Amino acid sequence: MPIKLLGENFPGNVDEMLANRALSVVFNTFVIKTAGPNAAAKLSFIDENPKGYKIYTEFLAPDASTRIQLDGQLKGALDKIMAGAQSEAASKLDVMGRVLNKEFRDLFNKRLLGAFYDTRFEKGSPLNKICRKIADKKCESRYGKVGVVTERLGGTNKAAVKDIMISLYMDDEVEATNACKKSGIKWKAFLIKDAIREQKGLSAGADLVKMDAKKLVICGFENVNDTSLLKLMKQMIELQMDYNTRKKAPKVFEQVKKKEPKTSPIQKLKFDAMIKLLISKGAIPDRKYVV
């Protein structure tokens, strides 16, 4: 059954991969590089599905052009077949062929296929190039025209912003963050992703803050009816979420503590612990949103 990547159908098992001739060439190159020529020979075995004596002459014989090296019980079973009556060898090789087909399919379906798809995040890999081409064609339909997005994010480098959009479409957050650095936009890709999707400009993140009196109670504050305390908390969070002002946030937290009784559990918290608490209670987004 095909799997969905970037809104496209990709082979979900080794048989589907072999049926996709264009992609199977890329997969075969990956198999040789990752698992070696013996694994590539096993892939050819599945593809050709030989019968009878051809199983031996084409894949298992010492002089076979696409030789598969067997070990353990399978090697012993092959030696026994070839040492026996030649009239019975073909039918016995057919039985062995079915065993080999299952073992080889398990190798590719359970191990190598998933590893192959992981290479879509490896910059410059053949699969990465294929996926980037797909994302290049589709990302503007999701996020908007690159020129509009560039203006909305306050950038000037359209090519770099296009790279952000392509990487986000691929869910490649590492490369998206790298592209952010090239664009001159001082925000991590996670927040940019939200900004692009919601078609708005980047701000200090005030729209992402969920701080109110109820959240103060949940976080352990006691002086929850003090509106100046709530105001300071919102200010602290917004400073923390702004790349250019985050160094000021801990100082505001010290002002917050002065609003709380000396017996308040908040007095024992350090700034980083306070941020983690706010994240855990849903008052602000996960730390990945914070530069």
Side-chain angles (χ1 to χ4, degrees):
M1 183 176 179
I3 64 171
K4 282 283 186 182
L5 286 176
L6 310 176
E8 302 278 335
N9 285 330
F10 279 76
N13 57 52
V14 67
D15 293 292
E16 291 176 2
M17 179 64 76
L18 290 169
N20 186 326
R21 287 302 170 184
L23 197 58
S24 66
V25 173
V26 177
F27 182 62
N28 187 66
T29 302
F30 164 80
V31 170
I32 294 173
K33 181 180 178 181
T34 305
N38 199 46
K42 293 176 181 179
L43 187 63
S44 296
F45 186 92
I46 296 171
D47 191 21
E48 294 184 27
N49 192 25
K51 301 294 183 183
Y53 213 74
K54 283 187 176 182
I55 293 173
Y56 180 74
T57 57
E58 294 182 9
F59 289 94
L60 302 181
D63 59 349
S65 57
T66 311
R67 191 187 179 200
I68 296 172
Q69 294 182 340
L70 300 180
D71 51 25
Q73 291 182 340
L74 288 173
K75 177 65 169 60
L78 176 65
D79 291 342
K80 189 174 181 180
I81 291 171
M82 301 315 296
Q86 190 171 357
S87 59
E88 298 177 358
S91 60
K92 290 182 177 179
L93 284 168
D94 264 341
V95 174
M96 172 169 270
R98 288 192 289 272
V99 173
L100 293 178
N101 260 306
K102 183 181 184 308
E103 180 177 294
F104 297 164
R105 278 181 168 82
D106 284 345
L107 166 68
F108 291 106
N109 291 335
K110 294 180 181 180
R111 287 177 48 201
L112 292 177
L113 203 64
F116 171 67
Y117 284 130
D118 286 343
T119 66
R120 70 186 186 275
F121 297 125
E122 294 178 9
K123 191 172 182 179
S125 73
L127 185 59
N128 179 267
K129 291 177 181 178
I130 291 170
C131 289
R132 285 188 70 84
K133 285 182 180 179
I134 295 171
D136 189 13
K137 293 178 180 178
K138 291 187 170 186
C139 66
E140 287 189 308
S141 64
R142 176 181 293 178
Y143 301 127
K145 296 293 183 182
V146 64
V148 176
V149 173
T150 302
E151 183 179 354
R152 196 164 65 233
L153 298 181
T156 56
N157 189 334
K158 292 183 182 180
V161 171
K162 185 65 177 290
D163 279 344
I164 296 172
M165 294 165 64
I166 290 171
S167 299
L168 290 177
Y169 193 92
M170 291 175 60
D171 288 324
D172 188 350
E173 292 162 342
V174 172
E175 187 57 33
T177 301
N178 291 334
C180 287
K181 295 175 183 177
K182 295 178 185 177
S183 73
I185 299 170
K186 297 178 180 179
W187 289 82
K188 278 194 176 177
F190 305 96
L191 186 54
I192 286 177
K193 190 172 185 177
D194 284 348
I196 291 175
R197 273 196 178 140
E198 296 174 27
Q199 298 189 4
K200 64 190 178 186
L202 292 175
S203 68
D207 53 315
L208 299 172
V209 177
K210 308 297 181 184
M211 177 52 67
D212 52 28
K214 185 177 179 180
K215 279 288 191 298
L216 289 176
V217 173
I218 294 173
C219 290
F221 284 88
E222 295 182 5
N223 198 11
V224 296
N225 293 319
D226 188 337
T227 56
S228 64
L229 171 62
L230 181 58
K231 185 177 180 180
L232 282 170
M233 282 297 294
K234 288 182 177 180
Q235 180 186 356
M236 181 195 79
I237 294 168
E238 289 171 17
L239 287 171
Q240 173 65 12
M241 295 184 70
D242 189 321
Y243 178 85
N244 297 306
T245 60
R246 60 182 307 204
K247 291 182 180 179
K248 298 178 182 179
K251 293 181 180 180
V252 177
F253 183 51
E254 293 305 313
Q255 295 179 47
V256 167
K257 285 185 173 183
K258 292 177 182 179
K259 296 287 183 179
E260 279 286 277
K262 292 182 179 180
T263 56
S264 170
I266 300 301
Q267 299 292 356
K268 297 179 181 180
L269 288 180
K270 293 184 178 180
F271 176 75
D272 286 347
M274 182 76 256
I275 294 298
K276 289 180 181 179
L277 177 62
L278 292 171
I279 290 170
S280 69
K281 300 302 181 182
I284 56 175
D286 185 87
R287 183 173 288 272
K288 64 187 179 182
Y289 282 89
V290 184
V291 178

